[in-house]
Amino acid sequence: MDTFWKGKKITAYIALKHHTRFIVPIMEKLAEQGAEINYLVAQAERSQEITAIEEGLEYNHIFDFLKDSDKKDIQKIYLNLRDTFGRTLVKDIAFSLQVQTVLDKTLFTTAQEYIAFKNYLKTNRPDLCLALHEVNRWGKLFAFHAKKAGVPFITLQEGLLTTASANLSFQMTGHVQYSTSCLVWGENSRQKLANFEAPK
């Protein structure tokens, strides 16, 4: 039997149900081969713990990795985010349509998550991390800190990439930014993402 995965620590970030239909089979296969697996959830308007609980998965919440000593750093990051978005609100109609109290709460939560993902990687030192994609803030933050920590990070193609129009350029540009590898559905998808600044 191949023992490559035996004792390796693998962490997967999951949020919604459609994440689990791809990620869980990979994690189960790795566990069968001796890997120590861990699921991670974060904060959202729709509680991400619900997915893990409904699937019967043991998990950690990213906020479990915040410490009292992080408060100053969180506040500094939050103020930076608030000031940056504040300037954007007066210029960009799309952002100004957001409910300000929800946006403010999201910015503060993002500051907490930035620190928490960094702390998680420092505390747990996984050998490999997975997420469905980097198209949301959680996958992006997790992939960013994994890259900084030198931990391989794998993502998957999120949905059909049927067109490469300007309307999709934001999502396609950010789809693979920090991941070590992104498993895509074929050469056509690889080429489209590479054309939108993803690593080849």
Side-chain angles (χ1 to χ4, degrees), residues 5-199:
W5 293 107
K6 189 171 175 56
K8 296 279 196 311
K9 294 166 70 174
I10 317 295
T11 298
Y13 165 75
I14 56 169
L16 301 175
K17 188 95 167 169
H18 71 278
H19 291 219
T20 63
R21 72 178 180 174
F22 300 110
I23 297 290
V24 170
I26 295 169
M27 295 291 276
E28 287 175 346
K29 191 70 169 171
L30 291 170
E32 286 172 15
Q33 295 182 32
E36 298 172 22
I37 63 170
N38 182 51
Y39 293 96
L40 195 58
V41 299
Q43 187 67 25
E45 292 297 311
R46 186 260 189 214
S47 173
Q48 294 178 1
E49 298 97 300
I50 291 171
T51 299
I53 291 166
E54 287 176 348
E55 293 294 312
L57 304 173
E58 290 188 32
Y59 66 92
N60 287 109
H61 194 290
I62 196 63
F63 283 177
D64 295 339
F65 299 91
L66 290 176
K67 308 179 296 276
D68 283 342
S69 59
D70 294 324
K71 287 180 180 175
K72 280 186 180 176
D73 287 337
I74 291 167
Q75 185 69 8
K76 182 178 172 185
I77 293 165
Y78 161 69
L79 291 173
N80 189 15
L81 286 169
R82 189 193 67 184
D83 292 347
T84 301
F85 269 83
R87 288 190 298 275
T88 303
L89 288 174
V90 296
K91 291 190 286 184
D92 191 326
I93 187 70
F95 282 116
S96 66
L97 296 174
Q98 300 294 316
V99 178
Q100 300 308 303
T101 53
V102 173
L103 181 58
D104 187 63
K105 184 171 72 170
T106 301
L107 294 176
F108 186 75
T109 302
T110 302
Q112 291 175 298
E113 290 163 345
Y114 180 87
I115 298 295
F117 277 115
K118 180 171 68 169
N119 289 351
Y120 176 84
L121 286 156
K122 190 175 182 181
T123 302
N124 284 27
R125 300 188 185 277
D127 296 294
L128 176 69
C129 297
L130 291 95
L132 183 57
H133 53 71
E134 289 185 47
V135 183
N136 59 45
R137 74 177 191 255
W138 308 282
K140 186 71 71 186
L141 288 172
F142 196 20
F144 171 78
H145 283 299
K147 185 172 185 172
K148 283 187 77 170
V151 177
F153 195 94
I154 296 174
T155 52
L156 310 173
Q157 179 178 333
E158 169 71 352
L160 290 171
L161 305 176
T162 54
T163 65
S165 70
N167 294 339
L168 288 178
S169 63
F170 174 76
Q171 179 178 350
M172 291 179 76
T173 300
H175 202 299
V176 186
Q177 194 172 9
Y178 302 111
S179 301
T180 309
S181 294
C182 179
L183 306 180
V184 295
W185 298 1
E187 178 59 24
N188 189 37
S189 296
R190 188 192 72 79
Q191 201 58 50
K192 281 185 179 179
L193 288 171
N195 289 341
F196 279 86
E197 300 178 10

